[in-house]
Amino acid sequence: MTLTYQEKLLSKTIQFVKEQLEEAESGHDWWHIHRVHTTAVSMAQHINANKLVVELGALLHDIADSKFHDGNEELGPAIVRSFLLREHLDEETINEVVFIIENMAFKRSFHFDGAKSIEFKIVQDADRLDAIGAIGIARAFSYGGYKGRPFFDPEVLPETHNDGEHYKASKAPTINHFYEKLLLLKDQMNTEEGKKRALVRHEYMLGFLKQFDDEWKGIL
Ligand code: ADP
Ligand code: NI
């Protein structure tokens, strides 16, 4: 069987991403990329979009995440552009993929004003879905542990963040992250398919928080 250019490009991209993310902590590793890729592909079956752009955007969206590179938000897009140029992808498609990478971070969504492409909407929905539900819970505690944060402290109340810098600088317990970010995500989904999936995961988190609270109070 001979592989098409696109199939070869996708398998090279997977290889490249695995190498780049080798050092990532567990909430943010290859398997996160794998889940976002799978979810984005599955969502794209219900939506008219450029599948190659969706797949490349999903696979490359967390390359050189700025929070692991002193807040440098230029690095990811630059790495992606040079990788795709090396693979001789056409410039228009490269620009569409790089657009996704540039605009993916939650931090940016505080001041996002450009038009979103449908491919961007799908990848962003898939990434947000991976932050909620059962996997979202696992990732939050994994990230909190990595940052050395307590998982709960009843004396530290959740805060609302209206700017990206403040959100990234938070040292709050992990349970607060649900109220500060994770429970807000279902209302930020771009696509109908994303909204539907987010609702199921959202309900699951509410059940978890209720159970956590009852156990904390010692009433269950
Ligand atoms: P992504 O890059 O996948 O969009 P982030 O980099 O924002 O997501 O976060 C990676 C994971 O770590 C997510 O599951 C997110 O919920 C979690 N996370 C980020 N900040 C915190 C925090 N302050 N407390 C707990 N979990 C967090
Ligand atoms: Ni991500």
Side-chain angles (χ1 to χ4, degrees):
M1 186 188 80
T2 45
L3 294 177
T4 64
Y5 167 75
Q6 290 199 4
E7 288 166 334
K8 274 191 230 158
L9 175 60
L10 286 169
S11 89
K12 278 184 171 179
T13 305
I14 289 171
Q15 213 35 54
F16 176 69
V17 173
K18 282 183 176 169
E19 284 162 19
Q20 294 279 318
L21 294 179
E22 237 154 35
E23 311 280 298
E25 106 289 358
S26 69
H28 218 264
D29 57 3
W30 158 250
W31 293 113
H32 163 64
I33 308 304
H34 174 79
R35 293 187 301 269
V36 172
H37 180 220
T38 316
T39 305
V41 168
S42 152
M43 289 176 69
Q45 284 172 349
H46 305 266
I47 301 167
N48 185 16
N50 182 329
K51 302 272 188 305
L52 180 64
V53 172
V54 169
E55 290 203 53
L56 291 173
L59 287 169
L60 292 161
H61 84 272
D62 268 336
I63 286 273
D65 188 314
S66 68
K67 74 173 161 311
F68 301 114
H69 293 92
D70 303 323
N72 183 349
E73 294 185 358
E74 317 285 308
L75 198 60
I79 291 175
V80 167
R81 184 176 293 281
S82 78
F83 168 72
L84 294 175
L85 275 171
R86 225 163 39 235
E87 298 302 328
H88 308 292
L89 186 62
D90 66 278
E91 201 172 327
E92 195 184 319
T93 311
I94 293 182
N95 287 339
E96 288 179 41
V97 176
V98 169
F99 175 85
I100 295 177
I101 314 308
E102 280 174 342
N103 291 291
M104 276 295 293
F106 181 74
K107 205 173 137 189
R108 273 202 174 233
S109 69
F110 285 103
H111 49 85
F112 188 90
D113 53 2
K116 297 178 176 182
S117 64
I118 185 63
E119 293 79 13
F120 171 76
K121 288 180 182 177
I122 293 170
V123 175
Q124 189 176 49
D125 277 4
D127 190 44
R128 286 178 170 165
L129 283 170
D130 204 55
I132 60 180
I135 285 170
I137 294 171
R139 288 183 76 205
F141 289 102
S142 159
Y143 185 91
Y146 170 74
K147 289 279 185 180
R149 296 180 191 176
F151 60 78
F152 185 53
D153 181 340
E155 286 171 4
V156 184
L157 298 175
E159 296 175 45
T160 45
H161 302 287
N162 42 27
D163 75 87
E165 294 309 323
H166 186 198
Y167 163 70
K168 286 293 173 193
S170 166
K171 293 272 172 285
T174 301
I175 287 284
N176 294 21
H177 187 62
F178 288 80
Y179 298 96
E180 293 170 358
K181 176 178 168 187
L182 305 184
L183 294 174
L184 311 181
L185 290 177
K186 79 162 178 20
D187 294 325
Q188 294 176 11
M189 305 305 285
N190 301 302
T191 67
E192 285 311 310
E193 185 61 27
K195 284 177 194 160
K196 225 165 58 190
R197 294 179 184 214
L199 210 58
V200 179
R201 295 183 186 219
H202 183 82
E203 292 298 319
Y204 188 88
M205 287 194 298
L206 290 182
F208 167 77
L209 290 169
K210 170 82 173 66
Q211 174 83 16
F212 186 100
D213 193 48
D214 287 349
E215 291 181 15
W216 189 274
K217 287 179 182 148
I219 61 173
L220 200 85

